[in-house]
Amino acid sequence: MTTSYSIKFKRVYDAAEDRDGIRILVDRLWPRGVKKEALSHQDWCKDACPSNELRKSYHAKEIDYERFAKRYFDELSANPDNLTPLLRYARQSQVTLLSAVKTFEYSHLPVLKHAMIEALKLEDQQADDNKLSSPVCFGKDFNYWG
């Protein structure tokens, strides 16, 4: 069984649209200039975001994007339960990950999406094999970033 999941990115400053599906804020900090009651979103999954230490190192240019992405993926792998709410949403509907980042390409969003898709695939595979699956787990041999 192959299931397709739709996960998009959108800036918090862009207008909400019906086609966004479930809108989830995935920034560690609340975005500047946005009132909490004004942001159309279903959840704020800050635990699925890079740690403060990692985020600060990357923004201070102490590490490059490749190192940031690998460390962030390692954080997600070490704390798979942090992805559980996002995976539940992805199984229900289109998901739009909201962030204040200016460009998505070199942000945490592609890494988060990749981790979500890999975790969903693993769960689907385990379900197809009629094995009991945990909420989220990464195979110990799986490491996308190196």
Side-chain angles (χ1 to χ4, degrees), residues 67-90:
R67 189 168 299 156
F68 165 78
K70 181 180 181 334
R71 287 185 187 171
Y72 177 38
F73 192 84
D74 289 347
E75 286 183 354
L76 292 170
S77 297
N79 300 289
D81 290 343
N82 291 344
L83 286 179
T84 301
L86 292 167
L87 302 184
R88 286 187 186 132
Y89 291 127

Side-chain angles (χ1 to χ4, degrees), residues 87-101:
L87 302 184
R88 286 187 186 132
Y89 291 127
R91 290 196 180 283
Q92 294 173 28
S93 173
Q94 154 86 32
V95 170
T96 298
L97 301 177
L98 302 172
S99 177
V101 298

Side-chain angles (χ1 to χ4, degrees), residues 85-130:
L86 292 167
L87 302 184
R88 286 187 186 132
Y89 291 127
R91 290 196 180 283
Q92 294 173 28
S93 173
Q94 154 86 32
V95 170
T96 298
L97 301 177
L98 302 172
S99 177
V101 298
K102 292 181 182 172
T103 57
F104 302 132
E105 185 178 2
Y106 293 105
S107 73
H108 66 293
L109 296 174
V111 180
L112 179 56
K113 179 179 178 178
H114 176 75
M116 289 173 63
I117 297 219
E118 290 303 314
L120 288 161
K121 282 183 191 175
L122 182 58
E123 285 183 347
D124 290 345
Q125 178 187 9
Q126 289 173 340
D128 287 348
D129 291 342
N130 293 320

Side-chain angles (χ1 to χ4, degrees), residues 26-38:
V26 288
D27 279 344
R28 173 81 45 192
L29 306 173
W30 189 264
R32 291 181 190 185
V34 177
K35 294 184 180 184
K36 290 189 180 180
E37 59 276 359

Side-chain angles (χ1 to χ4, degrees), residues 77 122 126 137-143:
S77 297
L122 182 58
Q126 289 173 340
C137 74
F138 295 99
K140 51 184 161 172
D141 296 330
F142 177 79
N143 189 345

Side-chain angles (χ1 to χ4, degrees), residues 25-81:
L25 177 61
V26 288
D27 279 344
R28 173 81 45 192
L29 306 173
W30 189 264
R32 291 181 190 185
V34 177
K35 294 184 180 184
K36 290 189 180 180
E37 59 276 359
L39 181 62
S40 174
H41 69 295
Q42 282 71 34
D43 203 349
W44 181 14
C45 294
K46 58 184 164 184
D47 290 338
C49 298
S51 65
N52 280 325
E53 177 184 311
L54 180 58
R55 181 182 58 80
K56 288 176 182 178
S57 292
Y58 181 56
H59 290 298
K61 299 186 186 323
E62 295 169 4
I63 57 174
D64 62 11
Y65 183 75
E66 189 173 320
R67 189 168 299 156
F68 165 78
K70 181 180 181 334
R71 287 185 187 171
Y72 177 38
F73 192 84
D74 289 347
E75 286 183 354
L76 292 170
S77 297
N79 300 289
D81 290 343

